[in-house]
Amino acid sequence: MSRAERYLKPEVIRQVSRLDLRAKFIVEGFLAGLHASPFQGFSVEFSEHRKYVPGDDLKDLDWNIFAKTDRYYIKKFEAETNVTGYLVMDLSESMAYTYRQELTKFEYAICLAAALGYLMIHQQDPVGLVTFDTQIRASLPPRSKRTQLANILALLSNLKPTGQTDIAGCIHQLAAMVRNKGLIMLFSDLLTDPEPVMKSLHHLRHRGHDIILFHILDEAEAHFPFDGLIEFKEVEGSGKLTLDARNMKGDYLRSLAEFKNFYKNECAKAAIDYVAMDTSVNFDKALMEYLLQRQRRF
Amino acid sequence: MTFTFPLLLGGLLLIGIPVALHLLLRQKPKTVLFPAFRFLVKRHRTNLTKLRLRHILLMAMRVLLLAAIVLALAQPKVKDNPWSLPSDQAVAAVFIFDTSASMEYTVAANQSRLKDAQKRAVEMLKLLPENSEVVILDSADSLPIGKGDWLQRDKAAERIGQLTLHSANATVSARVAAALDLLTRIAVTKDDSQRGQRARVVCIFSDRTVASWDVRERKSLQELANHVLPTFDRLSSVYSGISEQEKLLAELPQRLATVIQSFPVEGLTGALQNLKERLPSLRAEDYPDKGTQPLLAAVRGKQQELLAILEQQSKSVPENAKEYHTKLTTALQTSLRNSAGFTAFYVDVGVEQPRDGALTDFQLLLESPVNGNSEAQFKLRADIQATGEDFRSTLACDATASPHDVTLDVKAGKREHVHFDLDKSKLKLGHHQVKVIATPGDQLPINNARYLTFAFRNVLVLADSPSDVQVQTWARAIEANHFGAARYRCEIKTPTSLGEKAPGMFNKYAAVFLCALKEPDDKLWNALADYAGKGGGIGVIPPAQESNKDRYNGKAAQEVLPATLDKIVDAKAPGVDWGWKGDIYKHPLLHPFQEWRLGKWDFVEYPRAATLYWQTEPRKEQVQVLVRYADAINHPALVEQVVEKKRGRAGRVLLFTTLPGWPIWNNYLENSFYVALVGRTIGYLSGDDDRPALNFISDQSVPRVPMPISGQAMAYKLYRDGAAPPAPFVAAVNVEEGQNEARIPQAAEPGNYTLRAGDTDPVAWFSVNLPPEESDLTKVPKMEIEAVLGPDAVLTIEGRTDLKEVMRGHVSRPVELMPILMLVLLVLLALENLLANKFYRRETQQV
């Protein structure tokens, strides 16, 4: 495993404190694993040169520049139709949860969002950021400048998940707010009633947006590793339950599967990409999903 | 259930440890924040119940585990049939042997039933646990049972080997009564022998013939059996069965209404309730107590009563009540078994299909002539019966009779008889002994011979004129009677023909009658007084003239007579009958009249009356007016004086107040009243009607033989089957002074016996025969025996070579529970581990 690939693992990326480095490591690791550069065939008009990096297609090599300078440069093309991306972050308190004291769901989501932002900026795609809890809290309009990444990372690193959430309401708000068609990437644990959320997603979809729904759960939520007598406390409420976890596991996982299946089926019907993830899953799954989505568009 | 190491049961307290741990160290749940809480809410209730159940299950498993360890270490044992013969703990046993004549029945290899019984008893002894004690009872014995009769098994085997057949025997049921009495006593005895705490066993070895078991004693035997208290460990099973019985009895009125008509069910339910209240409060150290015995006996008595009714009505039970009937019967039988104070086995060593030809009776008959020309003929009659198969027997009689022997065929189950004619001219006064033998022999030889002693006894009739018709009629009437084998020959004499009158002159007579003597002198009265004092019987017909009364009222006469004669009363025609009042029948002379008067006898239809009779004044001491006339004053009709003796039979003097058969005095002669009166009189005065004087049955009553009256103690020799040597000598018999009869217990075996004083002629003759019922080899129904001894008590041996085979299922063997408990222990251990691992496997990893 190359050093860059190692950073696709959440438990490794956790040890990196700076968010920009996290994003860099994740994306580079991802790209190194692809063995083919994602940066090709996206635009038809030449815009600039850039240095060759391993993995680039040799056909894009500018042999004239090589002849003159004896250096490898790749011809870059200006995209005629770029994808406008919106990273939409759920700030509910439940997103701050972690069982194994590694990455919280929120941190995982931030890493993912940062990596995607990093990737998109490098792709010349404009990308913006929206955060919400019970309402939309902060937003950065989409830009494709390199400075946009710094702005996004700065904002993400200062976010803290607290309090209740109203996913459905916020998505409705977002639908009203975003006029141009774009790619909405929603990061949430979706731990609320699914029907209103789906309704809001339909609303968003109705406005012509493409949606990637990153359903992020903690590893403990996804696999329910508890055993013995445990008192479970609600995060966003005051509910308590004392249960035999071993006995409950099956029932819990069934309920969770039903919940995820509901989103999966409904999203499929609405042509929304539903990506179920938990904090133990490598980041490349999310990045790949983005790239596939982008590829489908063009 | 018993334990080899009962003290280890204290370890059961350890089972409190898991319970205490469960309560004290109840797991505190770990608190975890969980955002996906909504998915847990739905099923948490079911989950919590399951969790608690698991904990309780695990705790129960650990409790059971500890209990199983402790129980296994204590090595428990249970008995497979608690009411059967114990095989591990010493018992107190009573063995009862039937040694009656029917036990002589022999099958192959000369094995008599008694020998077989002895063999089976020794086998049974081997089945008894070590240190058991046994009492051996012989049905021929009637001795009380003492402490010294308890024998160890080896001594008991010796005693069994010494048992022999006894013709003089009692029923087995009588000995069972004695055994039950013994068990009742030891059940309440607390002594060092610990017999009271031991299981009690009664074993009976008999051929189960009808003569061996008196079915009339069923009730009394049941009562005796019910008073034998069960051992303490049986009470728990008695208690546990009460509820089921109460439930079944509550349904009885609806299910079996006919039973209720003859059985008040409240009595049983009340008794059960009383027992139910008492049993839980009983403690082993206080048991046996006086209060429990009557309660148990009451319950058992009523259960037996109900069971008998259920058995009687078993064939008429409606179809829809049959199941209930079976259930109730089983519950009652089980309860009776559990509450029984003893376990009984009736080992039937008899033959199921016996074959026997038996002489059952041999007697002397006086047959009336067919036409009036010839005299009455004496005949000997022998009865023979066949059992099991047809018999061809030859009966030989040793009397001077014709024919001497007769061959006849007897069908199985039938009885035939043979007559042997006796030549009257050759029959002398005195005693005669005859024997009849059936040949060829069979498997029960003891009943192939029958013996008979009969006697022609002298009766003296004193009359002034022997040729008087009335006197002759009186004498003929006496001779027409017989009692048992005693017949009478009358000598009619005048007082003067007697010669010198002296004490002892009447000793040879069975009775003396004075027939209207005009002037009996004092010497005659003195001789008669001596005769009465020695137990003689005197009948006095008073004189026909008032002028003769002084001879009867004199001092010497009044030493004999019970009353003085006052005057002759003329009752005028039609005369007066006896006053037939109830209490007159209590006297043995008049007792048969009670039965006769219930029949249509001619003297009942046409009562006899006396027109003339003496008014008498009975003396007060030792005098009894037996019957009075039905006239206004109720004059005495028959007066009796009993002359008491220290030993032997009392003398009797009977005074008639009218002259029986004298036409002027009464019309007694005109119908059978006269014969009946004479018959009763001679029988009573001779003493022959109240004892079988010459022929005895070899039961347990000792032969009492009439002896010549003697003024001094005499030593006699007893011979059997012959009057003198070389006949077998049996025993010496001593008769004390003044005795007119001898008790001869030595004469137990069937045969003709004689008693001789030195070299003189025999002075007493008698015969002993088997009881005819001893030849009846019919079996007593099992039900009769099991009603007393409990269900399935009768074990049939026939054809079995080993008693063990018969006793299979009747011996309670302790079942060692330790191996089973060890298995349970392993299973519990595995389950506990499994459950514990399943419940707590991951907690240690995560918490």
Side-chain angles (χ1 to χ4, degrees):
Chain A
M1 182 187 295
S2 72
R3 183 178 173 164
E5 280 178 337
R6 283 181 58 217
Y7 288 105
L8 290 172
K9 291 182 178 298
E11 62 267 26
V12 177
I13 211 73
R14 181 175 157 266
Q15 294 162 11
V16 181
S17 55
R18 276 178 54 188
L19 187 57
D20 55 338
L21 289 178
R22 286 184 179 183
K24 184 171 184 284
F25 287 145
I26 293 167
V27 173
E28 284 181 357
F30 171 66
L31 294 178
L34 282 179
H35 302 295
S37 173
F39 306 116
Q40 55 169 321
F42 293 89
S43 301
V44 289
E45 285 184 15
F46 173 79
S47 60
E48 59 183 343
H49 285 98
R50 68 167 172 82
K51 280 191 174 176
Y52 169 78
V53 290
D56 282 344
D57 196 339
L58 291 179
K59 75 178 167 65
D60 292 334
L61 211 64
D62 192 334
W63 295 108
N64 291 330
I65 299 289
F66 176 69
K68 288 175 185 169
T69 64
D70 204 20
R71 289 188 179 136
Y72 297 112
Y73 278 92
I74 294 290
K75 288 184 278 187
K76 290 193 73 182
F77 300 90
E78 186 73 38
E80 283 182 342
T81 51
N82 280 352
V83 177
T84 306
Y86 292 91
L87 302 166
V88 182
M89 300 293 297
D90 180 1
L91 291 180
S92 68
E93 193 178 352
S94 63
M95 290 292 286
Y97 177 74
T98 176
Y99 177 63
R100 291 194 184 278
Q101 307 301 319
E102 291 178 357
L103 289 179
T104 65
K105 287 190 275 184
F106 188 71
E107 285 168 339
Y108 185 87
I110 283 177
C111 290
L112 207 52
L116 282 167
Y118 184 91
L119 195 62
M120 288 180 80
I121 296 291
H122 277 76
Q123 191 79 0
Q124 305 299 325
D125 287 338
V127 61
L129 178 69
V130 177
T131 66
F132 68 92
D133 46 28
T134 52
Q135 57 187 350
I136 290 177
R137 291 289 172 195
S139 65
L140 281 175
R143 299 273 192 277
S144 59
K145 289 181 181 174
R146 297 216 171 229
T147 53
Q148 178 72 355
L149 182 63
N151 294 338
I152 288 171
L153 294 178
L155 185 59
L156 284 175
S157 59
N158 290 326
L159 288 175
K160 281 193 177 165
T162 48
Q164 303 286 314
T165 185
D166 177 12
I167 301 174
C170 292
I171 292 174
H172 281 301
Q173 261 189 305
L174 182 67
M177 198 171 81
V178 180
R179 306 235 170 152
N180 299 326
K181 293 177 188 175
L183 175 63
I184 310 290
M185 288 164 283
L186 177 61
F187 301 88
S188 173
D189 56 9
L190 298 174
L191 293 178
T192 184
D193 289 342
E195 285 83 7
V197 174
M198 271 319 297
K199 203 174 259 182
S200 65
L201 289 173
H202 280 127
H203 181 200
L204 203 58
R205 189 81 182 90
H206 181 70
R207 299 295 294 264
H209 298 294
D210 290 318
I211 304 169
I212 303 176
L213 179 56
F214 290 103
H215 185 192
I216 299 169
L217 292 173
D218 188 70
E219 183 192 358
E221 289 173 322
H223 300 113
F224 204 74
F226 308 106
D227 207 346
L229 191 67
I230 291 179
E231 184 187 55
F232 291 98
K233 282 178 79 176
E234 206 174 3
V235 174
E236 294 175 28
S238 56
K240 287 180 182 176
L241 280 178
T242 303
L243 296 170
D244 174 29
R246 162 180 278 278
N247 188 35
M248 194 64 197
K249 185 173 183 175
D251 290 340
Y252 170 84
L253 291 177
R254 255 191 304 281
S255 293
L256 181 65
E258 282 170 18
F259 181 74
K260 284 160 85 173
N261 279 338
F262 173 80
Y263 272 111
K264 191 176 177 183
N265 295 334
E266 289 300 315
C267 287
K269 285 179 197 166
I272 297 170
D273 288 327
Y274 172 76
V275 184
M277 308 192 73
D278 66 67
T279 54
S280 65
V281 175
N282 288 356
F283 295 108
D284 57 345
K285 184 183 176 191
L287 300 179
M288 182 59 80
E289 190 65 30
Y290 157 74
L291 291 176
L292 289 174
Q293 178 68 23
R294 199 177 188 292
Q295 223 166 17
R296 275 200 297 271
R297 283 188 154 218
F298 304 106
Chain B
M1 184 186 288
T2 55
F3 296 91
T4 308
F5 305 109
L7 284 178
L8 289 179
L9 289 178
L12 282 176
L13 293 173
L14 292 175
I15 62 173
I17 292 174
V19 180
L21 286 176
H22 176 78
L23 295 173
L24 293 174
L25 305 177
R26 209 179 284 178
Q27 187 190 2
K28 288 181 183 171
K30 177 188 173 190
T31 304
V32 168
L33 277 171
F34 196 63
F37 188 81
R38 61 198 330 270
F39 302 122
L40 303 175
V41 176
K42 280 187 199 169
R43 312 207 183 200
H44 82 283
R45 284 192 189 285
T46 325
N47 176 271
L48 199 61
T49 312
K50 277 185 185 173
L51 178 72
R52 285 179 184 156
L53 274 175
R54 280 181 179 184
H55 279 281
I56 290 170
L57 185 64
L58 196 59
M59 183 188 69
M61 204 62 73
R62 287 169 180 170
V63 166
L64 286 174
L65 195 62
L66 277 171
I69 290 170
V70 172
L71 286 174
L73 288 175
Q75 295 188 12
K77 299 168 190 173
V78 289
K79 292 175 181 173
D80 47 2
N81 294 318
W83 50 75
S84 303
L85 181 66
S87 62
D88 57 338
Q89 290 174 323
V91 299
V94 181
F95 281 23
I96 302 170
F97 288 87
D98 181 359
T99 56
S100 63
S102 62
M103 291 289 281
E104 192 189 24
Y105 191 94
T106 305
V107 289
N110 287 331
Q111 180 93 335
S112 71
R113 297 302 82 220
L114 181 62
K115 291 274 180 211
D116 196 22
Q118 288 168 312
K119 180 184 161 195
R120 302 305 179 183
V122 172
E123 288 172 5
M124 182 70 90
L125 274 179
K126 288 177 185 167
L127 290 178
L128 295 184
E130 208 175 336
N131 295 327
S132 295
E133 290 181 298
V134 186
V135 170
I136 307 295
L137 296 184
D138 182 342
S139 62
D141 283 342
S142 56
L143 299 172
I145 306 160
K147 282 188 178 176
D149 290 323
W150 288 102
L151 306 172
Q152 291 296 320
R153 290 188 299 172
D154 51 345
K155 295 281 179 193
E158 278 179 31
R159 171 83 181 87
I160 290 168
Q162 293 162 0
L163 291 170
T164 54
L165 288 167
H166 295 280
S167 300
N169 224 292
T171 57
V172 169
S173 51
R175 280 321 250 169
V176 170
L180 294 178
D181 184 51
L182 172 71
L183 294 183
T184 306
R185 279 187 278 121
I186 67 161
V188 294
T189 306
K190 292 179 177 177
D191 59 10
D192 296 338
S193 68
Q194 294 190 328
R195 282 183 205 119
Q197 287 76 51
R198 287 179 178 172
R200 297 174 281 273
V201 178
V202 176
C203 293
I204 299 158
F205 301 90
S206 171
D207 56 1
R208 195 156 63 92
T209 52
V210 286
S212 70
W213 192 271
D214 190 346
V215 294
R216 294 166 302 178
E217 292 174 4
R218 175 175 174 168
K219 196 83 181 167
S220 62
L221 286 174
Q222 280 180 334
E223 279 176 20
L224 278 172
N226 292 346
H227 278 85
V228 184
L229 272 174
T231 48
F232 186 77
D233 58 342
R234 301 274 284 269
L235 294 182
S236 56
S237 48
V238 175
Y239 182 76
S240 60
I242 291 177
S243 301
E244 190 196 352
Q245 287 176 74
E246 285 179 329
K247 196 175 154 192
L248 289 168
L249 289 172
E251 297 175 32
L252 187 60
Q254 289 83 41
R255 299 295 191 100
L256 296 169
T258 50
V259 173
I260 289 297
Q261 290 166 8
S262 49
F263 181 78
V265 73
E266 302 79 23
L268 179 53
T269 49
L272 283 170
Q273 185 61 34
N274 292 339
L275 192 62
K276 195 177 178 182
E277 287 168 8
R278 182 164 191 90
L279 289 182
S281 63
L282 275 179
R283 292 185 308 167
E285 54 269 30
D286 300 332
Y287 188 80
D289 61 329
K290 287 182 180 172
T292 310
Q293 190 180 50
L295 290 178
L296 269 172
V299 167
R300 286 179 58 83
K302 291 186 188 308
Q303 285 173 330
Q304 284 158 344
E305 196 182 334
L306 178 55
L307 203 54
I309 294 170
L310 289 173
E311 277 170 9
Q312 278 171 10
Q313 299 191 0
S314 58
K315 287 180 183 169
S316 58
V317 174
E319 199 61 37
N320 58 355
K322 276 189 175 165
E323 191 184 347
Y324 172 79
H325 182 275
T326 310
K327 269 188 184 175
L328 183 58
T329 305
T330 309
L332 290 171
Q333 284 178 337
T334 307
S335 177
L336 281 168
R337 273 175 164 160
N338 288 333
S339 62
F342 60 93
T343 304
F345 300 104
Y346 189 109
V347 182
D348 177 7
V349 293
V351 180
E352 279 304 310
Q353 290 181 320
R355 297 183 298 276
D356 181 41
L359 285 166
T360 55
D361 199 10
F362 189 37
Q363 56 180 311
L364 177 69
L365 301 175
L366 179 62
E367 280 202 348
S368 299
V370 178
N371 53 54
N373 298 330
S374 56
E375 288 190 14
Q377 175 70 44
F378 283 108
K379 291 187 174 186
L380 291 167
R381 171 180 161 147
D383 288 13
I384 183 166
Q385 74 175 22
T387 304
E389 65 178 17
D390 297 350
F391 270 88
R392 166 167 284 236
S393 280
T394 300
L395 272 54
C397 179
D398 64 348
T400 312
S402 63
H404 284 292
D405 50 57
V406 177
T407 299
L408 78 166
D409 294 314
V410 190
K411 295 279 183 194
K414 298 286 182 189
R415 179 180 289 195
E416 301 289 346
H417 61 264
V418 173
H419 283 127
F420 299 95
D421 293 334
L422 291 176
D423 186 351
K424 191 177 177 181
S425 62
K426 295 177 181 172
L427 290 173
K428 297 175 183 172
L429 278 175
H431 289 79
H432 302 264
Q433 289 189 317
V434 288
K435 176 170 75 174
V436 63
I437 297 174
T439 51
D442 55 22
Q443 288 157 309
L444 187 55
I446 200 166
N447 60 15
N448 291 345
R450 204 85 191 162
Y451 306 89
L452 176 67
T453 298
F454 58 93
F456 287 98
R457 302 186 70 183
N458 276 351
V459 175
L460 179 63
V461 178
L462 290 173
D464 293 326
S465 174
S467 58
D468 269 4
V469 177
Q470 288 81 12
V471 175
Q472 290 285 337
T473 307
W474 185 259
R476 280 210 303 277
I478 288 171
E479 288 183 351
N481 279 284
H482 68 97
F483 291 89
R487 301 218 163 245
Y488 306 99
R489 286 288 177 83
C490 287
E491 291 179 27
I492 306 173
K493 291 186 176 177
T494 61
T496 50
S497 68
L498 288 174
E500 188 63 30
K501 300 175 190 72
M505 65 180 296
F506 301 125
N507 286 0
K508 63 179 182 180
Y509 296 108
V512 177
F513 284 94
L514 276 62
C515 280
L517 289 179
K518 289 176 182 168
E519 294 185 336
D521 56 17
D522 285 353
K523 285 186 178 176
L524 178 63
W525 287 119
N526 289 339
L528 287 171
D530 173 70
Y531 177 65
K534 290 173 180 170
I538 303 167
V540 180
I541 298 171
Q545 303 293 326
E546 274 191 14
S547 56
N548 300 124
K549 71 177 184 180
D550 293 342
R551 289 287 184 176
Y552 287 83
N553 294 339
K555 190 180 174 189
Q558 284 300 308
E559 289 291 321
V560 177
L561 295 174
T564 55
L565 304 178
D566 289 352
K567 61 177 182 181
I568 295 172
V569 177
D570 186 356
K572 308 293 183 193
V576 289
D577 189 12
W578 285 0
W580 299 101
K581 292 183 180 172
D583 56 348
I584 67 167
Y585 302 117
K586 291 177 184 170
H587 194 276
L589 174 73
L590 300 171
H591 183 70
F593 281 96
Q594 185 173 25
E595 191 180 337
W596 294 338
R597 286 189 66 78
L598 292 173
K600 296 281 181 185
W601 284 62
D602 54 356
F603 62 82
V604 178
E605 294 281 316
Y606 307 103
R608 298 299 89 195
T611 45
L612 291 176
Y613 52 86
W614 279 93
Q615 179 178 305
T616 57
E617 189 61 40
R619 287 190 291 108
K620 289 182 180 172
E621 65 282 0
Q622 292 186 319
V623 166
Q624 186 182 4
V625 177
L626 301 186
V627 65
R628 293 175 182 273
Y629 291 112
D631 59 5
I633 307 173
N634 290 333
H635 285 103
L638 268 178
V639 189
E640 182 204 28
Q641 174 172 240
V642 176
V643 183
E644 291 293 350
K645 289 172 80 259
K646 281 185 183 174
R647 299 187 184 89
R649 196 170 68 86
R652 295 158 180 179
V653 181
L654 199 60
L655 174 64
F656 295 87
T657 55
T658 186
L659 282 67
W662 272 254
I664 304 169
W665 286 74
N666 50 61
N667 60 359
Y668 291 176
L669 197 57
E670 291 177 14
N671 66 17
S672 60
F673 180 72
Y674 180 81
V675 180
L677 180 63
V678 175
R680 292 306 307 141
T681 303
I682 183 62
Y684 178 66
L685 291 179
S686 66
D688 290 335
D689 73 333
D690 59 356
R691 56 187 160 87
L694 303 175
N695 292 284
F696 302 92
I697 295 297
S698 62
D699 54 11
Q700 284 209 314
S701 56
V702 176
R704 290 163 61 204
V705 183
M707 300 290 291
I709 300 163
S710 168
Q712 57 182 0
M714 294 289 290
Y716 296 98
K717 287 180 178 176
L718 180 68
Y719 294 94
R720 191 171 76 180
D721 291 339
F729 169 75
V730 178
V733 177
N734 294 317
V735 179
E736 293 182 18
E737 177 192 345
Q739 281 278 21
N740 56 9
E741 63 180 18
R743 293 180 78 252
I744 309 176
Q746 298 92 331
E749 298 302 313
N752 283 329
Y753 291 87
T754 50
L755 273 172
R756 287 160 47 109
D759 296 330
T760 61
D761 289 336
V763 293
W765 298 257
F766 65 97
S767 298
V768 175
N769 281 295
L770 273 185
E773 57 270 21
E774 199 62 47
S775 299
D776 185 354
L777 301 179
T778 312
K779 299 243 176 187
V780 187
K782 279 186 182 180
M783 190 184 71
E784 286 292 340
I785 294 167
E786 291 178 349
V788 175
L789 302 181
D792 304 326
V794 177
L795 308 173
T796 305
I797 282 290
E798 193 181 32
R800 315 283 180 90
T801 53
D802 195 347
L803 186 71
K804 271 187 187 172
E805 190 188 334
V806 183
M807 288 293 287
R808 191 171 295 152
H810 293 274
V811 180
S812 168
R813 301 202 176 279
V815 179
E816 292 274 358
L817 293 185
M818 193 176 171
I820 299 166
L821 276 172
M822 290 308 290
L823 273 179
V824 172
L825 191 67
L826 286 174
V827 171
L828 283 175
L829 198 62
L831 278 175
E832 195 273 340
N833 266 299
L834 196 71
L835 285 176
N837 281 326
K838 191 174 162 71
F839 293 172
Y840 300 124
R841 186 171 51 200
R842 291 186 191 168
E843 280 181 34
T844 49
Q845 296 169 3
Q846 299 192 2
V847 176

